Amino acid sequence: YQNDQVHEILGKVAQDRGYKRVYVLVPNYQAGKDSAAGFKLDYKGEIAEESYTPLGTLDFQVELTKIASSKVDALFTFMPGGMGVGLVKQYRQAGLADKIPVLSAFTVDESTLPAQQDAAIGMFGGANWAPNMDNPQNKKFVAAYEAAYNSVPGTYAMQAYDAAMLIDSAVKAVKGDLKNKDAVSAALKKAEFTSLRGDFKFNVNGYPIQNFYLTKVAKRPDGKFQTEIVEKVFSNYGDRYAKDCAAAK
């Protein structure tokens, strides 16, 4: 459901910024359809057009022509991996990047920025964390990661680190007695660790309650690219389905 929340962030941003018409561009498979649905949870303006491209599409000239002529206020897109690299580069080359803002989910992040580079600068995304998050544990993590791998960590690295720290906290709480599964489960639910993302706890349905942010791609003084927090969109946000969980009743 986190993916749904990331798309929802961007729908709320589009709504709050008064974007009256938005073009939706996603791949034609379930994740693409889910992303479009997530965006529309909070966006109540006009969807000028929804384009569902074949999975693996690398040439977006047809869609870019439509976007350019559609007189929209923004583009919402979910184009992960190589699709996102191609779209971002072509969007910039078409002269659209400085005219029509891009609200993207899993399209411009630390996994694709090394290939997108300058073409992605200024494009927005939604996330529960960014490398420039201002807390001591995150600053230490980012510095150590960059020293070890000579690259900027992304959300996937953050989540992997948090998961390891969560498991570590549970192992310590049960003093290494992993045979007591109920005790381990209870310790995991307490989430007594220091998350890189700051505030964090589990909801009644086992899904995190956390903050979500609007991010923007920037080029650092050292020449590397990263996403940076623009504003907090949701505070201590739990998914909207938690109330339907049996544990909540």
Side-chain angles (χ1 to χ4, degrees):
Y1 183 68
Q2 175 176 295
N3 290 357
D4 201 5
Q5 289 175 315
V6 167
H7 304 136
E8 185 181 351
I9 292 169
L10 301 167
K12 187 175 188 305
V13 168
Q15 184 69 26
D16 291 347
R17 295 193 173 195
Y19 294 155
K20 295 182 179 180
R21 302 182 76 242
V22 173
Y23 193 108
V24 172
L25 176 60
V26 296
N28 189 19
Y29 74 124
Q30 192 58 51
K33 296 173 183 177
D34 289 345
S35 69
F39 177 81
K40 289 184 281 187
L41 286 174
D42 282 316
Y43 181 67
K44 306 306 177 185
E46 178 187 352
I47 302 296
E49 184 168 342
E50 294 182 55
S51 290
Y52 292 84
T53 63
L55 189 63
T57 295
L58 297 178
D59 185 348
F60 296 92
Q61 294 309 309
V62 172
E63 290 75 24
L64 295 180
T65 299
K66 290 182 179 180
I67 294 168
S69 62
S70 62
K71 297 181 180 179
V72 293
D73 298 306
L75 166 69
F76 167 74
T77 187
F78 160 70
M79 283 289 169
M83 294 183 293
V85 173
L87 174 61
V88 167
K89 288 185 174 181
Q90 291 165 43
Y91 198 82
R92 177 72 64 178
Q93 291 168 354
L96 296 174
D98 295 324
K99 298 177 181 178
I100 303 174
V102 175
L103 303 174
S104 72
F106 305 104
T107 303
V108 290
D109 58 33
E110 283 69 27
S111 68
T112 54
L113 288 177
Q116 294 163 334
Q117 299 192 4
D118 290 320
I121 291 177
M123 293 187 179
F124 294 104
N128 56 358
W129 171 91
N132 75 325
M133 182 168 282
D134 190 10
N135 64 54
Q137 64 270 24
N138 186 60
K139 290 180 179 179
K140 182 178 179 181
F141 166 75
V142 172
Y145 187 99
E146 292 191 18
Y149 302 107
N150 192 32
S151 63
V152 182
T155 301
Y156 310 107
M158 175 278 291
Q159 291 175 336
Y161 184 87
D162 265 9
M165 296 304 292
L166 169 64
I167 294 170
D168 180 67
S169 71
V171 172
K172 289 178 178 176
V174 299
K175 296 181 172 55
D177 182 14
L178 301 183
K179 294 181 180 179
N180 189 341
K181 295 182 181 179
D182 289 340
V184 173
S185 178
L188 287 171
K189 289 178 181 178
K190 289 181 179 179
E192 294 180 341
F193 74 105
T194 303
S195 171
L196 297 179
R197 68 194 86 175
D199 295 338
F200 176 98
K201 62 181 179 179
F202 286 115
N203 209 334
V204 293
N205 61 347
Y207 194 82
I209 296 175
Q210 57 190 327
N211 299 329
F212 285 90
Y213 306 88
L214 177 69
T215 62
K216 189 176 184 178
V217 176
K219 188 174 185 178
R220 306 190 323 191
D222 64 3
K224 290 187 173 68
F225 297 84
Q226 70 179 20
T227 54
E228 297 181 351
I229 293 172
V230 175
E231 62 183 83
K232 185 188 294 183
V233 180
F234 294 126
S235 296
N236 295 319
Y237 192 63
D239 71 80
R240 62 181 65 210
Y241 305 116
K243 66 183 185 300
D244 300 321
C245 178
K249 300 177 180 178

